[in-house]
Amino acid sequence: MRMSRLFFRTLREVPADAESASHRLLLRAGLVHQLAAGIFDFLPLGQRVKAKIEAIMREEMDAIGGQEVSLPLVHPAELWQRSGRWYQIGDDMARFTDRNGRAYCLAMTHEEAMAELVQQVVRSYRQLPLLLYQIQTKFRDEPRPRGGLIRVREFTMKDAYSFDRDQAGLDAFYPRIYQAYFNIFRRCGLDVMAVESDTGMMGGSMAHEFMALTPVGEDTLLLCDACGYRANRQIARFRKPEPPQASPLPREEVHTPGVDTIAGLARYLGIPEAETAKAIFLVAEMQEDGSGEPREQFVFAVVRGDMELNETKLANAVGARRLRPATHQEIRAIGAEPGYGSPVGVDRSQALVVVDDLVARSPNLVAGANRPDYHFRHVNFDRDYQAHVVTDIVAAAEGHGCIRCGSPLRAARGIEVGNIFKLGTRYSEAMGATYLDEEGNARPLVMGSYGIGSGRLLASIIEQNHDEYGIIWPITVAPYQVALVSLFTGRTPQVVEAADRFYEALIGAGVEVLYDDRDERAGVKFNDADLLGIPIRLTVGARGLAEGLVELKLRRNGETRPVAVEELVPAVQEAIQAERARIEATLTQEVLDIQPGR
Amino acid sequence: MRMSRLFFRTLREVPADAESASHRLLLRAGLVHQLAAGIFDFLPLGQRVKAKIEAIMREEMDAIGGQEVSLPLVHPAELWQRSGRWYQIGDDMARFTDRNGRAYCLAMTHEEAMAELVQQVVRSYRQLPLLLYQIQTKFRDEPRPRGGLIRVREFTMKDAYSFDRDQAGLDAFYPRIYQAYFNIFRRCGLDVMAVESDTGMMGGSMAHEFMALTPVGEDTLLLCDACGYRANRQIARFRKPEPPQASPLPREEVHTPGVDTIAGLARYLGIPEAETAKAIFLVAEMQEDGSGEPREQFVFAVVRGDMELNETKLANAVGARRLRPATHQEIRAIGAEPGYGSPVGVDRSQALVVVDDLVARSPNLVAGANRPDYHFRHVNFDRDYQAHVVTDIVAAAEGHGCIRCGSPLRAARGIEVGNIFKLGTRYSEAMGATYLDEEGNARPLVMGSYGIGSGRLLASIIEQNHDEYGIIWPITVAPYQVALVSLFTGRTPQVVEAADRFYEALIGAGVEVLYDDRDERAGVKFNDADLLGIPIRLTVGARGLAEGLVELKLRRNGETRPVAVEELVPAVQEAIQAERARIEATLTQEVLDIQPGR
């Protein structure tokens, strides 16, 4: 492609609202243009990278027996009503009515539609197992689109769905998709780590997220460098400290005027925060299967004073679709007092009381007395209050002991670039997707679901592959392999003539060349080549040509060498091959580490 | 692909509601599955054909300098408000509000979004001309989805947009896209004809539709076999007969009891229908630029009794977005009488009177007297009534004289598989898409817009390429090139062994093979191969193998020949090449025939 004809525009200035490197570079290099919040145009250079990423995804899916299909974006409401997600999912789902008043949504994912399709086609165990995938548009009305392509509303996703006879089949397949996902990311030049994750709105028994580590990541991961335990903070477990062994002492009220925080309370009483219990008042929007209005439920959570509530764990524990802080009025309505709350004496018919297991095991904690300016000493679970649920609801944090080996956990931030879920039979049962086994019995298909967003992957590659001058594309996904830069003036027509010839020769040899034939200064051309991040740059100038030489430079490390004009094509092919080999060297076998604690 | 692993299902029975051959075969061969009205899943075989069609479109767009981009499906309302189409387009456009109450629509086409993008990137005449294209999902809430993939709501479209400095640039480019479109269809094995067409909701100065002739087509075309004039009935013009030369006679009322049709009137008075004037009462929803409610306008159309009103011409003549029949009450409100209506004496402040030019030139017609059971004789335009608009508003029909040469026109039905429009500056002006010319003056870009729907093209290929047994795919778009059928029993394991070997050898040679390795009867396998329409069938059986032979059969014509096992791969490659050559032979140079009469 001649750059004089290329539909692109580079920006010198950094757009003011772009907070991450990939967002800045996507805009500066003119790969995308934002049409509306979280809704982007892909320009030719961006589209080429996206297409290459998608080709890699296709190859890896085909390699594990995937068959490509294409399902619609617009789904009838009825499809999502059958699984219940029409009611469970809130504003994230875009909905509209058609000209006849029928309700539709824009698909955020395709479990329902895939199960419905498979129900039409699969009859017998002989047709199993099955892996279907598509690369397709989806829409999710994110509350806060951000980071350029990191969190958008309209996006392209490679989503795959497996269908097995039984859980054992799914368990056997899961490590294969796990490996395929590593292959996809590594072939794109992205370094990722797989962590255990929440199954969220998907449901299911096991899930992993593939995380590209970067400080701009939205997710916090907890990692054990000793044993390799890795989990998203949303579900990370840890080894809780053993509470002191002590006999329950008689409960007594203490006057704590104006002391309405845990930190203040510990200071006031001269005790560690670990000897207090913290009350958190929330209102849950509960999951419903029927078509009624969402039901609200007051939730009273209790964690040890030195720990943080993990809302994901709590939501999972009570089956909540969403949680919001309770108002003072709502708190007082159940008999508690904001700033001085505890479950002691609270009306359990009005509040779902959820107590962290460590609190339940800790004797003689200080807790609120449910009246202003007073706390209780020596509060003991079971004797002084009861709970509806006792389970782990606190967040793991850096320094906590690893659930497996006890070593201190480390926290890191990452972008979730892919996820895989063992779903089980939730969707196949809802859609009636069954098969007949050898004995002729109808059994529900056991499903898995696996997704990667093309655009977020593209942005993550930039996050990990850039410098102050621009993007550094891995050769496998670069929009062009070679930037051919001609440095000519009105007095050096021979440079144009030679560069034109090299361009044709490289194209003829199957090399993807972006030829900067523009009448611009050398600085402009070099800056643009660096910004666009083309892996191999060839510079054709009058001085070099006089000696029969062209300069070959690697974007990755700035390595430069002269190449004889007559050796140009093989030298470029060799350089491309070397860049490819670097990527391929990162492809290693992964062992799915089934971790305890779920 | 081994058929035992393929995600597919063939149906023996014809689905009851499928009215066209392509619809029946799409369902019977299991290429698609309907999720909701006009919303389809593509199964692996259908997806493969679609991908091949799209690859051909890509190649032809690239060949004329097209650059691929990808724009979103979800557009902010504001984008379409700027062009006015937010108000002009009615229920066909799906609209929704996001979580923040902002209005969005699902894009039906991308003129606005492309102009907005180009506005961001293009500054100078040096960046022109430009051709951008995408292959992307669109949604149109069709009132009557039908014919399987012929008329759907969600669809994939290859849409392209050209940007030129001036009309001369667009005029010079238009024949190139015209040729590229012929190439695309012919490479897909589809025989098409280009006809002049209405510019419809697009606006613009010229448009062509590419029509696949088939009796199930929704469009009627008028064709002149003598001079080559071709036009969609919506806009087709014809040479109107010369009215008789006669002096206006005095108007007189005649009693015509119960005679409220043109046919009845002509019979009753013993005159030809050509000597009557027919009144048609409609209410137009008028195009509006502002944000107000659509305005209704009574339209009173008059055509000669022997001709039919052409609603497209009428709508274009008055600037209507839509037309509906007027009610009796509405007709009487303007002073006319249903069944006995004419413009004579009608209140022109309440009705927009549009008279066909032939009626205006015809003396002494019989027309309604605007009271029950009475007509007027000798009604003359201008003397007895006036009009707001006099223009051509009647439909051309078979037998009418060609506008160019006068020969009788022939009618045919076709499916519109593509369209191309010269748009001019409507969208670039609305979006502020300008460039600076050599003198530094900002000028609006001159646009063209060009679309082909992948799914409708796929269905049209089937309409033209099938027989009673199933589809006959042209080799260029066939899901697989070769169907390898093994006929084995428990007593012929050598057949399986040989077929496996042939499968591997063919795959190794780059041949796309669908290997029917299922344990099914020969009849089932042959029927499925015919239904799926794979161009080349290889049959491996015990008897043939004993003689070292495999049978090669062409789906297209049933031609069969034995091939020696050791010659199998080259023989198949040769057959593929011959099938390709047949398609390539249809690629001929087209001359864009700029036709008069617009």
Side-chain angles (χ1 to χ4, degrees), chain A residues 135-399:
Chain A
I135 298 177
Q136 189 261 12
T137 304
K138 303 197 193 301
F139 192 86
R140 197 171 296 198
D141 197 359
E142 289 284 349
R144 281 170 298 280
R146 63 172 282 275
L149 295 183
I150 303 284
R151 186 164 288 281
V152 296
R153 299 201 290 174
E154 180 170 329
F155 55 103
T156 306
M157 194 167 206
K158 188 290 297 163
D159 46 331
Y161 304 83
S162 65
F163 298 86
D164 277 283
R165 304 182 54 164
D166 49 29
Q167 187 66 35
L170 174 57
D171 291 346
F173 175 71
Y174 196 79
R176 297 187 65 201
I177 194 102
Y178 184 84
Q179 178 69 51
Y181 268 41
F182 270 107
N183 294 351
I184 289 169
F185 298 121
R186 287 168 176 164
R187 288 181 63 189
C188 292
L190 193 73
D191 186 26
V192 295
M193 131 182 320
V195 302
E196 269 195 281
S197 66
D198 182 36
T199 53
M201 70 161 183
M202 294 299 209
S205 62
M206 175 182 267
H208 283 87
E209 288 167 346
F210 291 80
M211 290 285 178
L213 293 192
T214 148
V216 303
E218 293 189 306
D219 284 271
T220 299
L221 316 177
L222 288 153
L223 314 172
C224 176
D225 294 328
C227 77
Y229 175 78
R230 304 175 298 272
N232 193 311
R233 189 178 126 110
Q234 292 180 330
I235 64 144
R237 300 194 58 176
F238 60 101
R239 203 174 279 183
K240 292 184 179 163
E242 268 313 298
Q245 296 293 328
S247 300
L249 300 173
R251 192 175 81 202
E252 58 188 46
E253 200 173 59
V254 286
H255 190 214
T256 52
V259 179
D260 59 0
T261 65
I262 290 291
L265 182 65
R267 212 167 33 240
Y268 185 80
L269 298 178
I271 56 169
E273 294 184 3
E275 290 178 16
T276 68
K278 180 159 61 179
I280 301 109
F281 307 108
L282 297 159
V283 175
E285 195 176 302
M286 301 300 280
Q287 290 174 9
E288 292 233 45
D289 288 331
S291 58
E293 286 296 294
R295 184 172 63 87
E296 285 202 332
Q297 167 67 54
F298 193 98
V299 176
F300 192 142
V302 186
V303 303
R304 222 172 65 170
D306 60 333
M307 297 194 175
E308 294 300 322
L309 176 70
N310 179 323
E311 289 203 8
T312 306
K313 289 182 182 176
L314 178 61
N316 288 342
V318 302
R321 172 170 143 173
R322 206 176 292 118
L323 293 164
R324 64 165 173 87
T327 64
H328 283 195
Q329 195 182 352
E330 287 167 331
I331 295 168
R332 294 203 174 96
I334 62 142
E337 177 62 30
Y340 302 90
S342 82
V344 179
V346 153
D347 180 357
R348 280 201 296 138
S349 70
Q350 290 189 60
L352 191 64
V353 179
V354 185
V355 173
D356 185 60
D357 58 337
L358 180 58
V359 168
R361 287 185 287 125
S362 300
N364 302 323
L365 296 177
V366 173
N370 286 329
R371 62 174 180 132
D373 298 338
Y374 284 89
H375 281 84
F376 290 127
R377 277 188 202 275
H378 309 321
V379 172
N380 286 275
F381 177 71
D382 212 26
R383 183 191 71 181
D384 299 315
Y385 65 99
Q386 290 80 38
H388 295 91
V389 183
V390 175
T391 190
D392 172 34
I393 56 168
V394 299
E398 185 149 271

Side-chain angles (χ1 to χ4, degrees), chain A residues 70, chain B residues 42 45-55 156 454-455 458:
Chain A
S70 178
Chain B
F42 280 77
L45 291 173
Q47 176 64 19
R48 284 181 72 94
V49 177
K50 185 163 173 282
K52 288 195 175 186
I53 289 172
E54 290 168 358
T156 306
S454 317
L458 189 156

Side-chain angles (χ1 to χ4, degrees), chain B residues 39-70:
Chain B
I39 300 178
F40 285 85
D41 298 334
F42 280 77
L43 278 72
L45 291 173
Q47 176 64 19
R48 284 181 72 94
V49 177
K50 185 163 173 282
K52 288 195 175 186
I53 289 172
E54 290 168 358
I56 290 172
M57 299 199 287
R58 220 166 240 130
E59 284 174 22
E60 292 293 333
M61 287 300 104
D62 290 347
I64 56 171
Q67 300 186 54
E68 188 170 355
V69 297
S70 177

Side-chain angles (χ1 to χ4, degrees), chain B residues 362-397:
Chain B
S362 300
N364 303 323
L365 296 177
V366 172
N370 288 326
R371 62 173 180 131
D373 299 337
Y374 285 89
H375 281 84
F376 289 127
R377 276 189 203 275
H378 310 323
V379 171
N380 286 275
F381 177 71
D382 212 25
R383 184 192 71 181
D384 299 315
Y385 66 99
Q386 288 82 39
H388 295 91
V389 182
V390 175
T391 190
D392 173 33
I393 55 169
V394 298

Side-chain angles (χ1 to χ4, degrees), chain B residues 410-490:
Chain B
R410 176 167 64 85
R413 296 191 73 81
I415 301 171
E416 181 198 337
V417 288
N419 50 41
I420 59 178
F421 293 90
K422 287 188 185 177
L423 293 175
T425 57
R426 169 174 175 187
Y427 299 97
S428 46
E429 282 177 3
M431 299 295 147
T434 59
Y435 70 96
L436 298 178
D437 67 12
E438 286 91 334
E439 284 77 44
N441 301 315
R443 299 179 57 186
L445 288 157
V446 177
M447 283 178 70
S449 137
Y450 318 101
I452 301 178
S454 317
R456 187 186 287 188
L457 173 48
L458 189 156
S460 302
I461 296 169
I462 298 179
E463 289 294 344
Q464 285 191 357
N465 298 274
H466 72 271
D467 62 16
E468 60 193 299
Y469 304 109
I471 306 169
I472 307 172
W473 287 117
I475 192 100
T476 44
V477 295
Y480 291 90
Q481 297 164 324
V482 171
L484 174 65
V485 176
S486 62
L487 304 181
F488 62 90
T489 67

